[in-house]
Amino acid sequence: MRRTPQLLAVLALLSAVSAPANGQSLLDRLKKKAQDAIEQKAEDKMNAKLDAMAEKLVDNSFAALFGDSSATGAGGAAATSGARNDGTGAARGLPPFSLGANAKTEDRYTFSVVVTSEIESAERDGKSAGKAVLKMHFNPSTAYTGTLIEAVDGKRQDAAFAILDAKNKSMVMLMVADKNKFSIAYDWTEAERYAQEHPEPAVNWDTVTTWRGFKRIGTKTIAGFPTEGYRAEGADGTVEFWVSHDRRLTAGGMFGANSSLKQLRGRIPDEMPQGMPLEMTSTSPSGERVTLRVTNINTSANVTYLMADYPRVGGKR
């Protein structure tokens, strides 16, 4: 009889475990809570992995597009000093972007002209320092441009598609990580220079022999388009442009927005001749050279990016 209290306690515990509570036993509820905890832990681990992948992709993409010294993470901030150029393209600081929680974007970006270019850097001895293939996207009726680095030194790249939006004063990177699409937006401090609020006056280029420090040097055909050559010399070196004034390439005014790209930084002068540059050679006083050559132009492209497909990180649209 002395064991009766202990026996009763055991029977009570067993009864509590096995007795239904709202149609479910305590044991079943414990099992469900354990399963929920396991699933939550797995989800947290996966989210942490995806966050790390996304942050790495942002860093790598920014570095590929604008240079290692300006790479940023999803929670960081890019260098805010602007990259300014003088007549021959001398660099002034780092890319003019800063992470903007309130940076605005369009709902969609549509491009009708895609220009494929090869950009190659060479050392003083003429040895190649690297070659990149870029696809620049334009829309003649809008003040934005998009750029994709397709390959570097023959290797395909997975860098972001970067959109420079002069109207909304923003730079947007569209990325894909593990089949998940997302975007990140930055404030663009130099956007007003390309907003087309004050278009350049019409010019009869057939009669132009000099243009804001540039001298006309001839004509030639590039990628099926007629071009005119212009050359400028200064203390920071020389720069030579071959520009097309074909009406199908009227979006050439946005070409200068790409001056923040790593391969072109400090190489595109502010006062370059109007039109779409199809070839450029920039040489520094020490003999280092950057050459841009257009290899293909598609004037009937139909490329659209919907921002709804690329959820924003680091701020609201």
Side-chain angles (χ1 to χ4, degrees):
M1 297 296 294
R2 292 181 180 178
R3 295 183 179 180
T4 299
Q6 292 88 342
L7 181 58
L8 290 175
V10 172
L11 290 174
L13 179 59
L14 290 175
S15 177
V17 171
S18 59
N22 296 325
Q24 191 177 39
S25 71
L26 176 59
L27 184 59
D28 289 337
R29 285 188 290 167
L30 289 173
K31 288 180 179 180
K32 186 178 185 307
K33 284 187 175 293
Q35 183 63 32
D36 290 345
I38 292 172
E39 292 176 355
Q40 184 63 49
K41 185 175 182 180
E43 183 178 351
D44 291 344
K45 186 176 181 180
M46 178 58 68
N47 288 338
K49 182 179 179 181
L50 291 175
D51 288 344
M53 289 175 61
E55 185 171 350
K56 183 177 180 180
L57 180 58
V58 171
D59 285 347
N60 291 344
S61 295
F62 200 101
L65 287 161
F66 306 110
D68 293 334
S69 62
S70 305
T72 73
T80 57
S81 57
R84 304 290 300 187
N85 304 330
D86 62 14
T88 57
R92 295 290 182 269
L94 298 174
F97 309 120
S98 59
L99 196 62
N102 297 313
K104 296 181 180 180
T105 71
E106 296 293 285
D107 291 330
R108 67 171 60 206
Y109 290 95
T110 299
F111 305 95
S112 57
V113 178
V114 178
V115 178
T116 303
S117 306
E118 289 184 353
I119 302 178
E120 184 172 16
S121 301
E123 305 291 351
R124 288 179 294 178
D125 58 4
K127 183 178 179 181
S128 177
K131 180 186 292 186
V133 177
L134 276 66
K135 284 193 172 182
M136 299 182 183
H137 296 59
F138 301 95
N139 185 328
S141 62
T142 64
Y144 56 70
T145 179
T147 297
L148 174 70
I149 299 180
E150 190 172 62
V152 174
D153 295 332
K155 298 180 180 179
R156 293 193 64 84
Q157 300 294 297
D158 294 320
F161 183 78
I163 298 172
L164 291 159
D165 183 343
K167 173 187 172 183
N168 293 300
K169 302 178 182 179
S170 62
M171 186 277 284
V172 189
M173 293 199 302
L174 308 181
M175 290 161 282
V176 180
D178 195 28
K179 299 182 180 180
N180 294 296
K181 296 180 178 180
F182 67 98
S183 65
I184 186 168
Y186 299 80
D187 290 320
W188 179 24
T189 59
E190 292 189 346
E192 291 183 0
R193 297 167 59 194
Y194 309 100
Q196 298 181 349
E197 294 179 358
H198 306 288
E200 292 278 1
V203 177
N204 183 357
W205 290 100
D206 292 334
T207 63
V208 173
T209 57
T210 61
W211 175 263
R212 300 175 182 178
F214 283 83
K215 293 182 179 180
R216 183 169 174 169
I217 57 176
T219 62
K220 65 179 178 179
T221 299
I222 301 174
F225 290 82
T227 66
E228 298 166 353
Y230 298 88
R231 178 185 176 91
E233 299 183 9
D236 294 299
T238 63
V239 61
E240 186 176 296
F241 278 96
W242 292 86
V243 180
S244 175
H245 299 109
D246 192 288
R247 286 183 296 177
R248 292 171 292 175
L249 303 177
T250 54
M254 283 300 296
F255 179 90
N258 292 291
S259 60
S260 294
L261 293 174
K262 177 175 65 175
Q263 291 85 356
L264 296 177
R265 188 180 309 150
R267 301 291 181 172
I268 301 178
D270 289 337
E271 301 297 333
M272 61 179 284
Q274 296 175 26
M276 177 71 78
L278 301 188
E279 188 172 302
M280 180 200 78
T281 301
S282 177
T283 307
S284 71
S286 62
E288 298 171 330
R289 187 176 70 254
V290 172
T291 303
L292 177 146
R293 297 184 182 90
V294 169
T295 59
N296 184 67
I297 300 175
N298 182 357
T299 57
S300 58
N302 184 15
V303 180
T304 297
Y305 290 90
L306 299 177
M307 290 304 298
D309 294 337
Y310 294 84
R312 281 275 297 273
V313 296
K316 297 182 179 179
R317 181 167 60 87

